[in-house]
């Protein structure tokens, strides 16, 4: 199932990991100088706070059933604040500490809505909300998205957001970006001329357009931007670059954005079998017919990448989920080799790189940075792949191996449920993979939300996993994990005993008059429902949890209470 | 003439609501309330026909929508789901509601000129239970015609 291409890497990884621990122990726990990805490259240290009997030995909490479909349901969480996001449907939220102000950036799905600040109906773009006071969030600005094409909004929207402080970039002073903040956003979703843009958001209530990184794109999607190096992994497709995918047609464009005004192209990247020169008509699966012209996964050509996550320079890994909701592949890449693999000299370089490696790589060029890959079943795709490093295993603190306390590095993977009322598709879950030996990732546990109680397939909209939280908040790191689960809301698990993840908290937003209807046809009858869909859940650097609604209901700001709060406390305070 | 005045007044009311909200101290923390009058008559709504009514015709009948939505991402609509939907808000004796009109579906090529309504539903904001609200859709044979 797994393909190994870079031997001996695990040893290097192990050494660098101790270095990470050393750095992280001195890193600030919060604030704009946070040292963790994507702002830095340190990784928080996780201390074991579980009894050796783990989750199995604890009193099992009984998860309460949700209320009726029109009501809010909440367990071990508290609502701190709310903003309606101008009734725009949110895809990706991101909360950034800008010199003490907590600013929320929401990438919105396409459409239009009235902007009461301007009195104009604006194409959905990027919402900017000051959430410093969570009790009273203040909508500061809406940067419109693209205009419709031929009257259709199918190509519009600006779903994705990343923000970096200029001060954390290399050569910040020389480039005149110290003290500034920059927004990277997708501009359009599926048109023939979509792009990725950079805006100066130093003053978030008055953002200024800076530059277009790349245009002529289609299918822009979820990007990643390393704020300490400037390296950005932009996701998009193009109707003219020749890359080949099934389903969602997108791959990775890597840029150096350390000087945001002057983007520097590095290379394009994707899964073997997607490159422009791949012979889709004849290529066979690498799984059982490996060759120098095969495709990874179960679909030919493989499904597009959803959103890379880089863990920075020290860990030196990039995690890439492909396929989104079906026929997925999870790929682990060596970051240095990924960035420098088209160069002939220097760290990570490939002396055998092909002449067209940057834009039209060979399979060998694509395999150069690949550490390993996991083929998912056809029912599930790769939507999120977020690692958590060195999680203590409670039962293995003294009695296994040589008695040394054992920890595991984990990869949290989710597929995406895409059907309203579950009709026509299998359940979509999230999983914990053991990546302690990263050449051979291995399943450890499933994160599942049962359909009952709650009758989630009957309440309308989508039901199933979507996205794993990506922001690192050290007190939560390795203790809890949050996953957005569409109409089943925000779901939080206790992962201190990762072999036995325990449901710990949830929040399901009640529909309002802003909630968009979700309609589905089952057995020839079409019904429409009012149901919220938690699209993404994200943390800020104070530990507040943001539930963003895909159905236009807004964003709810939450905190942990009860047992969920206890789970993040040191053992002495539990 | 009377209907035009009604639409005009409703528009003014919406503008007023927006202005009021703009001055609220908590920066739009509250949901903008729906209009206080029923701006969508049953007779007009009945003229919106799935399978035949175009965006232009819908707009001529009902005016500009309160909100346009497109739920899709990754550049594609999901099977059986609309590429684009228009929402209108209204109020009647039973409470507030939305008129939800969907255009296209995943079987219709994107970026073409296909702008025919595929579904119309009048949905109470506080729909009870999990049955949902029955929508009006095009007859099956007309759906086939739409795909062509």
């Amino acid at each position: 199932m797994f393909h190994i291409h870079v031997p001996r890497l695990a040893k290097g990884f192990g050494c660098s990991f101790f270095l990470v621990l050393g750095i992280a122990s001195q890193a600030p726990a919060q604030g704009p100088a946070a040292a963790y990805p994507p702002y830095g490259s340190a990784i928080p240290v996780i201390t074991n706070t579980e009894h050796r009997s783990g989750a199995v030995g604890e009193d099992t909490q009984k998860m309460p059933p949700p209320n009726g479909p029109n009501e809010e349901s909440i367990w071990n969480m508290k609502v701190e604040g709310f903003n309606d996001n101008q009734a725009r449907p949110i895809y990706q939220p991101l909360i950034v500490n800008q010199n003490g102000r907590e600013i929320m950036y929401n990438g919105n799905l396409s459409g239009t809505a009235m902007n009461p600040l301007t009195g104009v109906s604006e194409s959905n773009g990027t919402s900017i909300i000051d959430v410093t006071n969570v009790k009273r969030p203040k909508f500061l600005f809406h940067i419109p998205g693209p205009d419709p094409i031929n009257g259709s909004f199918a190509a519009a929207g600006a779903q994705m957001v990343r923000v970096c402080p200029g001060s954390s970039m290399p050569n910040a002073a020389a480039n005149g970006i110290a003290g500034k903040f920059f927004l990277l956003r997708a501009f359009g979703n599926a048109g023939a001329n979509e792009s990725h843009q950079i805006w100066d958001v130093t003053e978030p209530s008055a953002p200024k357009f800076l530059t277009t990184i790349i245009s002529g794109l289609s299918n822009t999607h979820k990007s990643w931007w390393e704020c300490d190096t400037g390296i950005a992994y932009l996701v998009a497709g193009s109707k003219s670059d020749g890359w080949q995918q099934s389903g969602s047609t997108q791959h990775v464009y890597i840029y150096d954005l350390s000087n945001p005004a002057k983007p520097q192209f590095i290379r394009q990247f994707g899964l073997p079998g997607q490159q422009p020169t791949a012979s889709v008509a004849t290529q066979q699966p690498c799984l059982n017919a490996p060759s120098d012209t095969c495709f990874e996964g179960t679909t030919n050509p493989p499904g597009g990448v959803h959103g890379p996550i880089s863990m920075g320079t020290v860990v030196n890994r990039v995690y890439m989920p492909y396929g989104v909701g079906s026929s997925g592949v999870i790929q682990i890449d060596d970051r240095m080799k990924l960035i420098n693999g088209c160069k002939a000299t220097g760290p990570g370089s490939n002396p055998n790189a092909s002449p067209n490696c940057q834009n039209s790589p060979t399979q060998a060029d694509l395999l150069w940075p690949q550490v390993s890959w996991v083929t998912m079943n056809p029912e599930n795709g790769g939507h999120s792949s977020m690692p958590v490093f060195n999680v203590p295993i409670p039962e293995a603190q003294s009695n296994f191996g040589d008695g040394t306390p054992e920890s595991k590095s984990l990869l949290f993977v989710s597929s995406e449920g895409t059907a309203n009322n579950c009709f026509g598709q299998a359940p979509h879950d999230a999983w914990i993979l053991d990546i302690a030996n990263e050449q051979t990732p291995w399943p450890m546990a499933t994160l599942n939300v049962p359909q009952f109680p709650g009758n989630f397939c009957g309440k309308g909209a989508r039901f199933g996993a979507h996205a794993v939280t990506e922001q690192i908040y050290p007190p939560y790191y390795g203790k809890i994990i949050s996953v957005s689960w569409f109409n089943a809301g925000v779901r939080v698990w206790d992962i201190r005993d990762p072999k036995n993840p325990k449901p710990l908290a949830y929040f399901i937003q009640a529909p309002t008059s802003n909630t968009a209807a979700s309609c589905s046809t089952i057995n020839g009858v079409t019904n429409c429902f009012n149901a919220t869909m938690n699209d993404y859940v994200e943390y800020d650097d104070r530990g507040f949890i943001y539930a963003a609604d895909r159905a236009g209901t807004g964003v709810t700001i939450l905190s942990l209470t009860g047992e969920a709060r206890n789970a993040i406390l040191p053992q002495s305070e539990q | 003439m009377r209907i035009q005045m009604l639409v005009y007044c409703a528009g003014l009311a919406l503008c007023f609501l927006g202005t009021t909200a703009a001055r609220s101290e908590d920066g739009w923390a509250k949901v903008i309330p729906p209009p206080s009058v029923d701006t969508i008559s049953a007779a007009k709504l009945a003229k919106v026909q799935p399978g035949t009514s175009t965006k232009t015709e819908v707009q001529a009948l009902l005016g500009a929508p309160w909100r346009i939505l497109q739920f899709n991402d990754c550049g594609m609509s999901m099977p059986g789901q609309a590429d684009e939907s228009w929402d209108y808000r209204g109020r009647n004796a039973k409470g507030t509601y939305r008129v939800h009109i969907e255009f296209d579906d995943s079987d219709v090529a994107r970026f073409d000129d296909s702008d025919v309504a595929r579904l119309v539903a009048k949905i109470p904001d506080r729909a009870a239970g999990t049955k949902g609200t029955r929508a009006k859709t095009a007859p099956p044979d007309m759906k086939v015609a739409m795909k062509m």
Side-chain angles (χ1 to χ4, degrees):
Chain A
M1 177 177 274
F2 313 113
H3 211 87
I4 304 168
H5 278 279
V6 186
R8 309 289 180 205
L9 224 157
K11 287 185 179 175
F13 179 74
C15 291
S16 61
F17 203 87
F18 286 109
L19 180 62
V20 172
L21 300 186
I23 292 170
S25 63
Q26 300 168 35
Q30 57 185 11
Y36 315 111
Y39 305 106
S41 292
I43 301 295
V45 176
I46 304 168
T47 53
N48 179 37
T49 59
E50 280 277 75
H51 186 265
R52 64 183 180 181
S53 57
V56 176
E58 296 175 355
D59 291 332
T60 304
Q61 288 192 89
K62 188 168 174 58
M63 182 169 64
N67 297 323
N70 290 328
E71 308 302 324
E72 174 185 291
S73 298
I74 191 163
W75 176 47
N76 283 338
M77 301 184 98
K78 177 187 173 191
V79 173
E80 299 284 356
F82 171 77
N83 186 277
D84 74 358
N85 196 47
Q86 299 183 339
R88 302 180 199 274
I90 306 170
Y91 188 89
Q92 185 189 21
L94 180 72
I95 305 91
V96 182
N97 186 324
Q98 293 191 204
N99 299 326
R101 292 175 76 187
E102 299 283 346
I103 306 298
M104 181 178 203
Y105 297 85
N106 290 330
N108 296 314
L109 289 148
S110 47
T112 64
M114 173 66 71
N115 180 353
L117 296 172
T118 62
V120 176
S121 182
E122 295 173 348
S123 177
N124 291 347
T126 311
S127 301
I128 305 177
I129 304 171
D130 188 329
V131 291
T132 309
N133 180 354
V134 294
K135 305 286 184 195
R136 300 173 72 84
K138 185 175 183 182
F139 200 109
L140 298 176
F141 201 87
H142 175 251
I143 310 174
D147 291 331
I149 299 172
N150 296 331
S152 169
F153 280 89
Q159 294 174 234
M160 308 303 167
V161 287
R162 306 300 317 178
V163 173
C164 280
S167 298
S168 67
M169 296 286 184
N171 306 312
N175 290 330
I177 58 172
K180 294 186 175 181
F181 285 82
F182 297 95
L183 163 71
L184 165 67
R185 72 167 190 162
F187 187 69
N189 175 240
N193 192 25
E194 310 311 335
S195 60
H196 286 284
Q197 301 178 332
I198 295 186
W199 289 67
D200 181 337
V201 290
T202 308
E203 176 43 65
S205 60
K208 298 171 189 167
F209 174 75
L210 190 63
T211 192
T212 294
I213 303 162
I214 178 173
S215 58
L217 302 172
S218 62
N219 288 26
T220 60
H221 219 66
K222 196 163 74 63
S223 303
W224 187 267
W225 192 7
E226 298 172 358
C227 296
D228 56 339
T229 70
I231 299 297
Y233 307 84
L234 310 179
V235 173
S238 162
K239 299 198 187 313
S240 60
D241 63 12
W243 283 74
Q244 307 172 87
Q245 297 94 7
S246 300
S248 50
T249 53
Q250 55 227 17
H251 61 283
V252 180
Y253 294 75
I254 303 177
Y255 274 79
D256 179 352
L257 303 181
S258 58
N259 184 352
K262 295 179 179 175
Q264 299 292 315
F265 172 68
I266 294 175
R267 71 176 299 184
Q268 299 183 54
F269 187 77
L271 211 57
Q274 296 180 332
Q275 68 272 24
T277 55
S279 179
V280 172
T282 59
Q283 64 186 1
Q284 297 294 309
C286 302
L287 205 59
N288 50 16
S291 72
D292 56 1
T293 56
C294 59
F295 66 90
E296 294 183 346
T298 58
T299 296
N300 180 23
V305 68
H306 185 269
I309 292 180
S310 169
M311 281 292 112
T313 56
V314 180
V315 170
N316 192 34
R317 289 292 180 273
V318 180
Y319 301 85
M320 299 216 198
Y322 296 84
V324 186
S326 62
S327 303
V329 172
I330 303 297
Q331 185 186 45
I332 303 177
D333 290 294
D334 180 302
R335 177 186 171 279
M336 273 307 254
K337 291 187 173 185
L338 178 61
I339 296 168
N340 298 320
C342 291
K343 296 177 182 172
T345 59
S349 62
N350 178 6
N352 298 315
S354 72
N356 298 320
C357 176
Q358 285 179 288
N359 288 302
S360 183
T362 62
Q363 179 171 300
D365 294 332
L366 296 180
L367 290 175
W368 176 250
Q370 182 172 277
V371 175
S372 62
W373 53 286
V374 180
T375 297
M376 302 173 74
N377 65 18
E379 292 177 351
N380 291 287
H383 180 280
S384 296
S385 54
M386 174 67 185
V388 178
F389 298 109
N390 237 18
V391 181
I393 305 298
E395 68 166 352
Q397 294 304 295
S398 61
N399 295 330
F400 287 86
D402 63 0
T404 305
E406 186 179 323
S407 295
K408 292 277 192 180
S409 290
L410 309 173
L411 190 62
F412 289 81
V413 172
S414 66
S415 182
E416 176 179 355
T418 57
N420 287 342
N421 292 86
C422 311
F423 193 69
Q425 71 174 32
H428 288 263
D429 289 320
W431 303 272
I432 304 175
L433 302 189
D434 174 353
I435 56 168
N437 184 335
E438 57 180 355
Q439 279 89 0
T440 57
W442 191 250
M444 179 179 276
T446 298
L447 303 176
N448 168 256
V449 176
Q451 187 199 161
F452 300 100
N455 189 17
F456 290 112
C457 287
K459 69 177 281 192
R462 299 182 184 188
F463 168 64
H466 189 218
V468 179
T469 307
E470 297 171 359
Q471 292 297 105
I472 293 176
Y473 176 60
Y476 295 172
Y477 191 75
K479 301 287 193 298
I480 63 169
I481 198 82
S482 302
V483 184
S484 54
W485 217 273
F486 288 129
N487 70 7
V490 169
R491 294 282 163 164
V492 183
W493 280 266
D494 183 340
I495 56 165
R496 291 175 296 165
D497 178 6
K499 292 183 181 179
N500 300 285
K502 192 173 67 171
L504 193 60
Y506 69 70
F507 170 74
I508 305 172
Q509 188 177 7
T512 69
S513 55
N514 280 354
T515 306
S518 297
C519 306
S520 59
T521 302
I522 300 174
N523 297 328
V525 178
T526 303
N527 281 296
C528 298
F529 301 81
N530 297 332
T532 57
M533 284 194 278
N534 177 228
D535 201 73
Y536 260 81
V537 52
E538 204 46 275
Y539 309 142
D540 70 13
D541 66 356
R542 301 168 295 180
F544 289 113
I545 299 171
Y546 296 74
D549 186 53
R550 189 186 183 97
T553 321
V555 60
T556 308
I557 308 173
L558 303 152
S559 61
L560 298 176
T561 63
E563 289 300 311
R565 187 79 192 159
N566 284 343
I568 64 166
L569 295 175
Q571 203 164 26
S572 59
E573 298 176 30
Q574 289 178 19
Chain B
M1 187 67 183
R2 202 173 282 173
I3 293 170
Q4 282 179 335
M5 281 298 290
L6 193 62
V7 171
Y8 178 72
C9 291
L12 274 180
L14 279 171
C15 290
F16 176 73
L17 285 168
T19 308
T20 304
R23 289 173 184 161
S24 81
E25 287 183 358
D26 55 0
W28 315 101
K30 303 288 188 296
V31 172
I32 299 168
S36 57
V37 292
D38 183 358
T39 57
I40 305 168
S41 73
K44 275 189 176 180
L45 192 56
K47 291 180 181 173
V48 180
Q49 288 298 323
T52 58
S53 296
T54 64
K55 286 178 183 173
T56 306
E57 291 166 348
V58 170
Q59 184 148 353
L61 277 166
L62 305 180
W66 161 66
R67 176 174 69 179
I68 296 174
L69 284 171
Q70 201 256 15
F71 273 164
N72 311 317
D73 60 300
C74 296
M76 56 185 185
S77 57
M78 301 303 166
Q81 296 172 34
D83 244 6
E84 185 174 314
S85 60
W86 289 14
D87 282 348
Y88 295 83
R89 297 174 118 174
R91 182 192 294 273
N92 59 20
K94 294 178 182 174
T96 56
Y97 64 86
R98 277 154 299 144
V99 168
H100 178 78
I101 303 173
E102 295 188 352
F103 297 91
D104 295 347
D105 61 21
S106 57
D107 299 321
V108 178
R110 288 177 289 120
F111 312 122
D112 63 8
D113 293 329
S114 177
D115 61 353
V116 177
R118 57 166 239 154
L119 176 155
V120 180
K122 184 175 177 179
I123 307 164
D125 284 346
R126 299 288 289 178
T130 56
K131 286 183 177 177
T133 303
R134 185 79 176 262
K136 190 165 72 172
T137 57
D141 57 337
M142 201 169 281
K143 286 180 183 173
V144 173
M146 286 168 64
K147 289 172 190 171
M148 296 170 67

Coordinates of all heavy atoms in Angstrom, one line a residue, chain A residues 480-524:
Chain A
I480 N -6.5 17.7 22.4 CA -7.8 17.6 21.7 C -7.7 17.8 20.2 O -6.7 18.4 19.8 CB -8.9 18.7 22.3 CG1 -8.4 20.1 22.0 CG2 -9.1 18.4 23.7 CD1 -9.4 21.2 22.2
I481 N -8.6 17.4 19.4 CA -8.7 17.7 18.0 C -10.1 18.1 17.7 O -11.0 17.5 18.2 CB -8.2 16.5 17.2 CG1 -7.8 17.0 15.8 CG2 -9.2 15.4 17.1 CD1 -6.4 17.6 15.7
S482 N -10.2 19.1 16.8 CA -11.6 19.5 16.4 C -11.7 19.3 14.9 O -10.8 19.5 14.1 CB -11.7 21.0 16.7 OG -11.5 21.3 18.1
V483 N -12.9 18.8 14.5 CA -13.2 18.5 13.1 C -14.6 19.1 12.8 O -15.5 19.0 13.6 CB -13.2 17.0 12.8 CG1 -13.4 16.7 11.4 CG2 -11.9 16.4 13.3
S484 N -14.7 19.8 11.7 CA -16.0 20.3 11.3 C -16.7 19.2 10.6 O -16.2 18.4 9.8 CB -15.8 21.5 10.3 OG -15.0 21.1 9.2
W485 N -18.0 19.1 11.0 CA -18.8 17.9 10.6 C -20.1 18.3 9.9 O -21.2 17.7 10.1 CB -19.1 17.0 11.8 CG -19.0 15.5 11.4 CD1 -20.1 14.8 11.0 CD2 -17.9 14.7 11.5 NE1 -19.6 13.5 10.8 CE2 -18.3 13.4 11.1 CE3 -16.6 14.8 11.9 CZ2 -17.5 12.3 11.0 CZ3 -15.7 13.7 11.8 CH2 -16.2 12.5 11.4
F486 N -20.1 19.4 9.2 CA -21.3 20.0 8.5 C -22.5 20.0 9.4 O -22.4 20.7 10.4 CB -21.5 19.1 7.2 CG -20.5 19.4 6.1 CD1 -19.9 18.4 5.5 CD2 -20.2 20.7 5.7 CE1 -18.9 18.6 4.5 CE2 -19.3 20.9 4.7 CZ -18.6 19.9 4.1
N487 N -23.6 19.3 9.1 CA -24.8 19.6 9.9 C -24.7 19.0 11.3 O -25.6 19.3 12.2 CB -26.1 19.1 9.2 CG -26.2 17.6 9.1 OD1 -25.4 16.9 9.7 ND2 -27.2 17.1 8.4
A488 N -23.7 18.3 11.6 CA -23.5 17.8 13.0 C -22.5 18.8 13.8 O -22.1 18.5 14.9 CB -22.9 16.4 13.0
G489 N -22.2 19.9 13.1 CA -21.5 21.0 13.8 C -20.0 20.7 14.1 O -19.3 19.9 13.4
V490 N -19.5 21.5 15.1 CA -18.1 21.3 15.5 C -18.0 20.1 16.4 O -18.8 19.9 17.3 CB -17.7 22.6 16.3 CG1 -16.3 22.3 17.0 CG2 -17.6 23.8 15.4
R491 N -17.0 19.2 16.2 CA -16.9 18.0 17.0 C -15.5 18.0 17.6 O -14.5 18.2 16.9 CB -17.1 16.8 16.1 CG -18.5 16.7 15.6 CD -19.4 16.1 16.7 NE -20.8 16.4 16.5 CZ -21.8 15.7 17.1 NH1 -21.5 14.9 18.1 NH2 -23.0 16.0 16.8
V492 N -15.4 17.8 18.9 CA -14.1 17.8 19.6 C -13.9 16.5 20.2 O -14.8 15.9 20.9 CB -14.1 18.9 20.6 CG1 -12.7 19.0 21.3 CG2 -14.5 20.3 20.1
W493 N -12.7 15.9 20.0 CA -12.3 14.6 20.6 C -11.1 14.9 21.6 O -10.3 15.7 21.3 CB -11.9 13.6 19.6 CG -13.0 12.9 18.9 CD1 -13.5 11.7 19.2 CD2 -13.6 13.4 17.7 NE1 -14.5 11.4 18.2 CE2 -14.6 12.4 17.3 CE3 -13.5 14.5 16.8 CZ2 -15.4 12.5 16.2 CZ3 -14.3 14.7 15.8 CH2 -15.3 13.7 15.4
D494 N -11.1 14.1 22.6 CA -10.0 14.0 23.5 C -9.0 12.9 22.9 O -9.4 11.8 22.7 CB -10.5 13.4 24.9 CG -9.4 13.3 25.9 OD1 -8.2 13.3 25.5 OD2 -9.7 13.3 27.1
I495 N -7.8 13.4 22.5 CA -6.9 12.5 21.9 C -5.7 12.2 22.7 O -4.6 11.8 22.2 CB -6.4 13.1 20.5 CG1 -5.8 14.5 20.7 CG2 -7.6 13.1 19.5 CD1 -5.0 14.9 19.5
R496 N -5.8 12.4 24.0 CA -4.6 12.1 24.9 C -4.3 10.7 25.0 O -3.2 10.3 25.3 CB -4.9 12.7 26.3 CG -5.0 14.2 26.4 CD -5.4 14.6 27.8 NE -6.7 14.2 28.1 CZ -7.3 14.2 29.3 NH1 -6.5 14.6 30.3 NH2 -8.5 13.8 29.5
D497 N -5.3 9.8 24.7 CA -5.1 8.4 24.4 C -5.5 8.2 23.0 O -6.6 7.8 22.7 CB -5.9 7.6 25.4 CG -5.7 6.1 25.2 OD1 -4.9 5.7 24.4 OD2 -6.5 5.3 25.8
P498 N -4.6 8.4 22.0 CA -5.0 8.5 20.6 C -5.5 7.1 20.1 O -6.1 7.1 19.0 CB -3.8 9.0 19.9 CG -2.6 8.7 20.8 CD -3.2 8.7 22.2
K499 N -5.2 6.0 20.7 CA -5.7 4.8 20.3 C -7.2 4.7 20.6 O -7.9 3.8 20.0 CB -5.0 3.6 20.9 CG -3.5 3.5 20.4 CD -2.9 2.2 21.1 CE -1.4 2.1 20.6 NZ -0.8 0.9 21.3
N500 N -7.6 5.5 21.5 CA -9.0 5.5 22.0 C -9.6 6.9 22.1 O -9.9 7.4 23.1 CB -9.1 4.8 23.4 CG -8.7 3.4 23.4 OD1 -9.3 2.5 22.9 ND2 -7.5 3.2 23.9
P501 N -9.7 7.6 20.9 CA -10.2 9.0 21.0 C -11.6 9.0 21.5 O -12.4 8.1 21.2 CB -10.1 9.4 19.5 CG -10.2 8.1 18.7 CD -9.5 7.1 19.5
K502 N -11.8 10.0 22.3 CA -13.1 10.1 23.1 C -13.9 11.3 22.7 O -13.3 12.4 22.9 CB -12.8 10.1 24.6 CG -13.9 9.8 25.5 CD -13.4 9.7 26.9 CE -12.9 11.0 27.5 NZ -12.6 10.9 28.9
P503 N -15.1 11.2 22.3 CA -15.9 12.4 22.0 C -16.0 13.3 23.3 O -16.2 12.7 24.4 CB -17.3 11.9 21.6 CG -17.0 10.5 21.1 CD -15.9 10.0 21.9
L504 N -15.7 14.6 23.1 CA -15.5 15.4 24.3 C -16.5 16.6 24.3 O -16.9 17.1 25.4 CB -14.1 15.9 24.3 CG -13.6 16.5 25.6 CD1 -13.6 15.5 26.7 CD2 -12.1 17.0 25.4
A505 N -16.8 17.2 23.2 CA -17.6 18.4 23.1 C -18.2 18.5 21.7 O -17.6 18.0 20.7 CB -16.8 19.6 23.4
Y506 N -19.3 19.2 21.6 CA -19.8 19.6 20.3 C -20.6 20.8 20.3 O -21.1 21.3 21.4 CB -20.6 18.4 19.6 CG -21.9 18.0 20.2 CD1 -23.0 18.9 20.2 CD2 -22.1 16.8 20.9 CE1 -24.2 18.5 20.7 CE2 -23.3 16.4 21.4 CZ -24.4 17.3 21.3 OH -25.6 16.9 21.9
F507 N -20.8 21.4 19.2 CA -21.7 22.6 19.0 C -22.3 22.5 17.7 O -21.6 22.4 16.6 CB -20.9 23.9 19.1 CG -21.7 25.1 18.8 CD1 -22.7 25.6 19.6 CD2 -21.5 25.8 17.5 CE1 -23.5 26.7 19.2 CE2 -22.2 26.9 17.2 CZ -23.2 27.4 18.0
I508 N -23.6 22.6 17.7 CA -24.4 22.6 16.4 C -25.2 24.0 16.4 O -26.1 24.2 17.3 CB -25.4 21.4 16.3 CG1 -24.6 20.1 16.4 CG2 -26.1 21.5 14.9 CD1 -25.5 18.9 16.5
Q509 N -24.9 24.8 15.5 CA -25.5 26.1 15.4 C -27.0 25.9 14.9 O -27.3 25.1 14.0 CB -24.7 27.0 14.4 CG -25.2 28.4 14.3 CD -24.3 29.2 13.3 OE1 -23.5 28.6 12.6 NE2 -24.5 30.5 13.3
A510 N -27.8 26.7 15.5 CA -29.2 26.7 15.1 C -29.4 27.5 13.8 O -28.7 28.5 13.6 CB -30.1 27.3 16.2
P511 N -30.3 27.1 13.0 CA -30.5 27.9 11.7 C -31.2 29.2 12.1 O -31.9 29.3 13.1 CB -31.4 27.0 10.9 CG -32.1 26.0 11.9 CD -31.1 25.8 13.0
T512 N -31.0 30.2 11.3 CA -31.6 31.5 11.4 C -32.2 31.8 10.1 O -32.2 31.1 9.1 CB -30.6 32.6 11.8 OG1 -29.7 32.8 10.7 CG2 -29.8 32.2 13.0
S513 N -32.8 33.0 10.0 CA -33.4 33.5 8.7 C -32.3 33.7 7.7 O -32.6 33.9 6.5 CB -34.2 34.8 8.9 OG -33.4 35.8 9.5
N514 N -31.0 33.7 8.1 CA -29.9 33.8 7.1 C -29.4 32.4 6.6 O -28.6 32.4 5.6 CB -28.7 34.5 7.7 CG -28.8 36.0 7.8 OD1 -29.8 36.5 7.3 ND2 -27.9 36.6 8.4
T515 N -29.9 31.3 7.2 CA -29.4 30.0 6.8 C -30.0 29.6 5.4 O -31.2 29.6 5.2 CB -29.9 29.0 7.8 OG1 -29.4 29.4 9.1 CG2 -29.2 27.6 7.5
A516 N -29.1 29.3 4.5 CA -29.5 29.0 3.2 C -30.1 27.6 3.2 O -29.7 26.7 3.9 CB -28.3 29.0 2.2
A517 N -31.1 27.4 2.3 CA -31.8 26.1 2.2 C -30.9 25.1 1.5 O -30.1 25.5 0.7 CB -33.1 26.3 1.5
S518 N -31.0 23.9 1.9 CA -30.4 22.8 1.3 C -31.4 21.8 0.8 O -32.3 21.4 1.5 CB -29.4 22.0 2.2 OG -28.4 22.9 2.7
C519 N -31.4 21.6 -0.5 CA -32.5 20.8 -1.1 C -31.9 19.5 -1.7 O -30.8 19.4 -2.1 CB -33.2 21.5 -2.3 SG -33.8 23.2 -1.7
S520 N -32.7 18.4 -1.6 CA -32.3 17.2 -2.2 C -33.5 16.4 -2.6 O -34.6 16.5 -2.1 CB -31.5 16.3 -1.1 OG -32.3 16.1 0.0
T521 N -33.3 15.6 -3.7 CA -34.3 14.8 -4.3 C -34.1 13.3 -3.9 O -33.0 12.7 -4.2 CB -34.3 14.9 -5.8 OG1 -34.5 16.3 -6.1 CG2 -35.5 14.1 -6.4
I522 N -35.0 12.7 -3.2 CA -34.9 11.3 -2.8 C -36.2 10.6 -3.2 O -37.3 11.0 -2.9 CB -34.7 11.2 -1.2 CG1 -33.4 12.0 -0.8 CG2 -34.6 9.8 -0.8 CD1 -33.2 12.0 0.6
N523 N -36.0 9.6 -4.0 CA -37.1 8.8 -4.5 C -38.1 9.7 -5.2 O -39.3 9.5 -5.1 CB -37.8 8.0 -3.4 CG -36.9 7.0 -2.7 OD1 -36.0 6.5 -3.4 ND2 -37.1 6.8 -1.4
G524 N -37.6 10.6 -6.0 CA -38.4 11.5 -6.8 C -39.1 12.6 -6.1 O -39.7 13.4 -6.8

